[in-house]
Amino acid sequence: MERCKIYEKIIKFIKDEYKAQSVALHEPKFIGNEMRYLKQCIDSGFVSSVGQFVTDIEMDMARITGAKYAVAMSSGTAALHIALICAGVRAGDEVITQPLSFVATANAISYTGASAVFVDVDMDTMGMSPSSLSKFLDENCIKKDGKCYNKNSDKFISACVPMHTFGMVCKIDEIAQICNMWGINLIEDAAESLGSKYKGTHSGRFGLAGVFSFNGNKIATSGGGGVLISDDENMAKMAKHLGTTAKVPHPYEYNHDYIAYNYRMPNLNAGLLKAQLENLDLYLKDKRELAQKYAKFFDSLGIKFINEPKDCLSNYWLMGIILDDKNSRDELLKYANEKSVMMRPAWRLTSELDMYKNCIKDENKNAKYLADRIVNIPSGVRLNLA
Ligand SMILES: Cc1ncc(COP(=O)(O)O)c(C=O)c1O
């Protein structure tokens, strides 16, 4: 079939699915108690960083993920920053992550004064590849007194931050095993993977901590916000303390025992999130149904739709297709956006951005291949129950 005809079919399919002439990439849906909880905040006066909804969503997130503790933060980036500090990452260290990610992953590493090291992703999960991680460690690192050092730079490798790309969980049990063997703390950037599981366990639960984002484009939103989960009591307590300006609890005195951060989630945002989390199962069901329809449709056109990989139950946060080459990718992007169906490429690889281009990295071969060919397609919840 002629390329233009194929694009036309794609646009028609998406507009029909969403019953709209203009389709966004991922819009939030407010079809539950959002207004009610926001009004409760305003009526009670508790709009800021103290309030029942903050406590509620921490309990909700612990329940949903199965983690012992959940700590609300002002953003996913803030939660990642705090997680790294609590994991002992310090200025001058190296932290291993992946090149195919939103820039916030590497930025949070940089905030600590550590440098990012980029190892490649797997083709099927689009997340950190355990074999690339192992290869990098075997070829470049030694273990001394239970800790991992880069032999070439003589720097301490204090953490590893894989990311679950578009909601697909990477081979996180293998990565956890490798990190354990090398004495490296594992922090999962689970920003995109609320509701995603690996071999039955929720993402974010495989290392010392996991971090979720509730930015407006995520599967559930607080407007802006994040949550850190952990099974480690000390980690959770420290995260809460450092995210709340390290204020020593007292009814009226102001005493602080660290140079810390104001990373608190306001009650207003938590109220919005509580309502969103109440509908999470509905969102997950709708997105899974859409993914199945997309898979069948793209298969009929001979285009590769990105399905959940083996052992992963995906939340299908951002769905995508893989085209033959960069030219076809750009052609479809132009065509779709001109027809008011929003599509976007994957991120430019973080390891190629000016700020990070001199960081240590392997070949990043799969990441480069994917970044050139992925097109993200409209993936928002289609329900309209308002
Ligand atoms: C992979 C990844 N990491 C971190 C973040 C940062 O989250 P936030 O925007 O809440 O700071 C996001 C999303 O925004 C993300 O997609």
Side-chain angles (χ1 to χ4, degrees):
M1 210 186 312
E2 201 188 311
R3 287 241 283 254
C4 229
K5 279 259 157 56
I6 295 183
Y7 299 158
E8 212 179 296
K9 274 193 150 198
I10 296 174
I11 299 309
K12 181 173 181 324
F13 181 87
I14 294 173
K15 286 186 175 175
D16 286 353
E17 263 317 304
Y18 281 91
K19 299 185 176 48
Q21 282 312 304
S22 161
V23 187
L25 193 69
H26 201 294
E27 269 181 333
K29 278 274 186 277
F30 303 117
I31 52 174
N33 285 317
E34 284 85 354
M35 281 295 223
R36 210 175 119 213
Y37 295 158
L38 289 176
K39 187 169 181 309
Q40 274 179 34
C41 287
I42 292 166
D43 289 346
S44 69
F46 283 94
V47 294
S48 199
S49 41
V50 176
Q52 187 57 42
F53 289 130
V54 176
T55 314
D56 286 354
I57 66 105
E58 287 178 340
M59 280 163 57
D60 289 345
M61 280 299 291
R63 179 180 42 78
I64 290 167
T65 59
K68 279 197 183 145
Y69 308 98
V71 183
M73 301 262 167
S74 55
S75 70
T77 313
L80 206 47
H81 183 199
I82 292 286
L84 290 166
I85 297 172
C86 292
V89 176
R90 296 291 176 263
D93 292 352
E94 285 173 3
V95 172
I96 302 177
T97 188
Q98 64 193 57
L100 186 69
S101 185
F102 181 55
V103 68
T105 318
N107 283 349
I109 293 169
S110 304
Y111 299 163
T112 65
S115 320
V117 171
F118 297 101
V119 302
D120 206 1
V121 297
D122 276 325
M123 289 292 278
D124 54 349
T125 68
M126 302 171 293
M128 185 180 284
S129 156
S131 53
S132 296
L133 175 64
S134 260
K135 186 167 182 284
F136 175 82
L137 292 167
D138 289 342
E139 287 176 3
N140 299 287
C141 300
I142 46 160
K143 203 171 164 189
K144 252 193 308 192
D145 306 325
K147 290 178 167 184
C148 177
Y149 290 87
N150 183 333
K151 284 186 286 192
N152 313 313
S153 63
D154 219 21
K155 289 189 172 173
F156 173 35
I157 299 192
S158 47
C160 175
V161 189
M163 196 278 280
H164 304 306
T165 308
F166 308 139
M168 309 287 175
V169 187
C170 65
K171 294 170 188 125
I172 193 66
D173 57 348
E174 283 180 58
I175 290 173
Q177 257 177 26
I178 297 165
C179 287
N180 250 340
M181 211 171 76
W182 281 90
I184 299 171
N185 281 316
L186 174 61
I187 304 290
E188 288 173 75
D189 183 342
E192 305 178 352
S193 62
L194 178 68
S196 300
K197 293 182 177 172
Y198 187 79
K199 295 184 181 169
T201 300
H202 201 289
S203 64
R205 298 224 37 231
F206 292 80
L208 194 52
V211 161
F212 297 88
S213 165
F214 297 104
N215 185 34
N217 63 350
K218 296 297 183 289
I219 187 164
T221 184
S222 56
V227 163
L228 176 154
I229 60 163
S230 182
D231 284 345
D232 182 315
E233 190 179 358
N234 288 334
M235 172 95 188
K237 277 189 175 156
M238 191 63 158
K240 187 80 178 172
H241 192 55
L242 290 183
T244 52
T245 59
K247 184 177 183 295
V248 180
H250 191 280
Y252 47 85
E253 277 180 14
Y254 275 76
N255 185 19
H256 305 258
D257 57 8
Y258 282 94
I259 298 176
Y261 303 87
N262 178 9
Y263 280 170
R264 295 171 298 179
M265 178 188 283
N267 202 41
L268 267 175
N269 299 79
L272 192 70
L273 182 57
K274 183 176 163 66
Q276 291 266 292
L277 292 177
E278 287 170 353
N279 277 326
L280 180 62
D281 287 343
L282 217 60
Y283 298 162
L284 288 167
K285 185 167 173 280
D286 190 70
K287 285 164 81 68
R288 176 160 290 270
E289 275 170 21
L290 177 62
Q292 282 162 356
K293 282 192 166 184
Y294 269 148
K296 222 167 138 190
F297 169 70
F298 283 109
D299 194 44
S300 75
L301 296 178
I303 294 176
K304 186 180 164 26
F305 174 75
I306 305 174
N307 269 308
E308 61 196 355
K310 187 172 164 282
D311 297 325
C312 163
L313 181 82
S314 176
N315 66 358
Y316 281 107
W317 169 56
L318 211 51
M319 300 179 217
I321 51 179
I322 301 182
L323 297 182
D324 290 343
D325 50 46
K326 202 166 181 236
N327 283 343
S328 326
R329 179 199 76 172
D330 293 342
E331 209 174 72
L332 174 60
L333 285 172
K334 187 164 180 295
Y335 188 93
N337 285 290
E338 278 174 9
K339 301 274 184 232
S340 306
V341 170
M342 196 186 163
M343 296 193 186
R344 52 156 251 198
W347 314 273
R348 188 163 165 215
L349 296 185
T350 317
S351 52
E352 291 178 356
L353 299 177
D354 271 356
M355 313 81 83
Y356 295 109
K357 67 181 182 211
N358 295 324
C359 288
I360 299 169
K361 58 183 172 228
D362 64 14
E363 258 191 283
N364 290 182
K365 200 168 142 230
N366 294 340
K368 283 179 188 159
Y369 181 95
L370 291 168
D372 279 350
R373 290 166 179 79
I374 288 174
V375 173
N376 286 120
I377 55 180
S379 314
V381 171
R382 295 160 304 165
L383 295 167
N384 209 343
L385 309 178

